[in-house]
Every structure is written in C-alpha cells, then in structure tokens.
C-alpha cells in the first residue's frame, strides 16, 4: 500500500492509497478515504475503491473494524454492542455517558461483534460472524460490504457514519441528521 496523497482543511481529511499486489509492477486498486468531523457529534467517512488495472477485480470485500473502548481504559471491559438487522445500525455503549452508533448508506452484507483479538478476517474466513449482540466485555465491532466484481476504471463508494451521543438512544437518534451531512460536507 502506498500513500499517493494526503490533504486536510476545515475538518476534512482526504487520503489516497494505491495497492500493488506482491509481485506486481502496477497498482490494481486505488482507495480514497474522505473523512469529515468538525464541531458536530459525527465522523463522516466516504471510502471509495477504484479499479486502476486493465483487468476485472473479482469478489472484492470491504470491512470497517472498530474497537471503540467506550468509557476509556478504566471501563472498556464492560462494553455492550448490538446490531439492529432492520435498520442496519451497530451501537456500542456501557454505563458511561457516551455511546457510538455506526451505520452506512450502502447496506452492509454482514456484521460482527467479538473480542478484539477474535474479530478477524482470513483467506479462509472472509465473512464476519453475523451475530447481533455481545457484552458486557471488551468488544470490537465490524461491518462488511461485498462489492463483487469491479471492471477496469470503475469505482464503488461506501458512506460510513459514526454518531456519538450521551446514551445509546441519543447516538441512534443522531443518525438521520448525520446522513444528511454527507451531501453537504463530502461532495
């Protein structure tokens, strides 16, 4: 992975990475991360994947794996995580007055909640477990998108939103406003 560019201004960060597989001379995929967060309880993250090769990229999967450690180091072992399969929202919370909700405009194909050392992707195990609740304990969470086949010079986008509230309910209630911000902040 090679960093091609990095720019930041007014709460907006853009990082472009090129991926050249081992043994290859030219990049196959370009990943553009555009993140925004400024004076609002949100992190907006647009993840764009572009096929920059001359061949089709097959069976591409993208994962967002997070370990929020809600409440900090003195209380991260009491985190609870839940995934709502109807609304496609992952929420992590505990008894502290902070909670994080994670969702995306592109519906995830799978999700997972496990201890940080056990939430893994390998060549043989490419799907997250699909469980909907764990805790209280130290937890990591993840969302997975199966982007499929990408022809040369085409791209796929995922808009990921993290909202932060003083409770589980507040973090979830903030989601609609956060999703509206994508059109204003990430053009």
């Amino acid at each position: 992975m090679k960093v091609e560019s990095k720019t930041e201004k007014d709460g907006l960060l853009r990082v472009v990475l090129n991926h050249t597989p081992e043994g290859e001379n030219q990049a196959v995929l370009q990943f553009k991360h555009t993140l925004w967060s400024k004076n609002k309880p949100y992190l907006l993250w647009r993840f764009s994947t572009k096929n920059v090769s001359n061949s089709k990229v097959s069976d591409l999967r993208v994962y967002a794996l997070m370990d929020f450690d809600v409440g900090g180091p003195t209380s991260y072992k009491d985190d609870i995580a839940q995934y709502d399969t109807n609304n496609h929202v992952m929420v992590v919370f505990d008894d502290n007055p902070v909670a994080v909700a994670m969702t995306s405009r592109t519906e995830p194909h799978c999700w997972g909640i496990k201890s940080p050392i056990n939430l893994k992707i390998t060549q043989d195990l490419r799907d997250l477990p699909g469980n909907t609740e764990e805790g209280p304990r130290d937890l990591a969470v993840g969302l997975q998108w199966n982007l499929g086949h990408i022809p040369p010079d085409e791209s796929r986008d995922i808009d990921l939103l993290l909202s932060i509230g003083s409770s589980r309910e507040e973090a979830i209630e903030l989601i609609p406003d956060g999703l509206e911000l994508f059109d204003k902040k990430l053009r």
Side-chain angles (χ1 to χ4, degrees):
M1 202 67 73
K2 180 181 174 193
V3 176
E4 291 298 318
S5 66
K6 176 184 166 191
T7 58
E8 50 186 301
K9 183 180 178 186
D10 295 326
L12 188 72
L13 171 66
R14 282 195 174 102
V15 179
V16 178
L17 305 159
N18 281 339
H19 170 64
T20 304
E22 200 171 307
E24 299 287 327
N25 295 325
Q26 293 186 334
V28 171
L29 293 171
Q30 181 177 76
F31 304 111
K32 184 189 298 182
H33 298 270
T34 306
L35 298 101
W36 179 88
S37 182
K38 186 176 181 181
N39 301 323
K40 300 262 186 201
Y42 304 109
L43 172 67
L44 311 179
W45 184 353
R46 177 166 289 146
F47 181 76
S48 300
T49 304
K50 183 176 183 179
N51 180 352
V52 294
S53 74
N54 294 322
S55 303
K56 175 177 72 174
V57 172
S58 298
D59 195 22
L60 181 67
R61 298 175 192 207
V62 172
Y63 309 88
L65 304 175
M66 308 278 184
D67 183 356
F68 294 111
D69 287 339
V70 173
T74 59
S75 75
Y76 67 83
K77 293 181 180 177
D78 64 349
D79 290 351
I80 298 168
Q82 298 170 335
Y83 183 75
D84 181 333
T85 58
N86 294 318
N87 297 315
H88 308 290
V89 173
M90 180 73 74
V91 64
V92 182
F93 60 97
D94 64 13
D95 289 336
N96 289 288
V98 80
V100 180
M102 181 168 67
T103 192
S104 66
R105 281 188 171 166
T106 304
E107 189 176 304
H109 292 90
C110 206
W111 49 88
I113 307 166
K114 286 195 174 221
S115 67
I117 61 170
N118 291 320
L119 190 63
K120 298 179 186 178
I121 303 299
T122 66
Q123 282 185 322
D124 296 329
L125 183 64
R126 297 183 61 215
D127 290 321
L128 292 173
N131 57 331
T132 58
E133 188 167 352
E134 288 281 336
R137 62 186 180 132
D138 186 16
L139 294 171
V141 297
L143 299 178
Q144 171 186 331
W145 301 269
N146 300 342
L147 300 183
H149 306 304
I150 303 178
D153 207 36
E154 286 194 19
S155 62
R156 305 283 187 271
D157 293 341
I158 296 168
D159 288 347
L160 181 66
L161 170 70
L162 295 145
S163 62
I164 297 89
S166 59
S167 67
R168 174 190 178 282
E169 293 76 18
E170 183 181 28
I172 293 168
E173 288 172 10
L174 289 167
I175 288 172
D177 290 337
L179 290 173
E180 281 185 32
L181 276 174
F182 269 100
D183 298 328
K184 296 175 185 172
K185 300 296 182 181
L186 301 183
R187 300 174 212 257

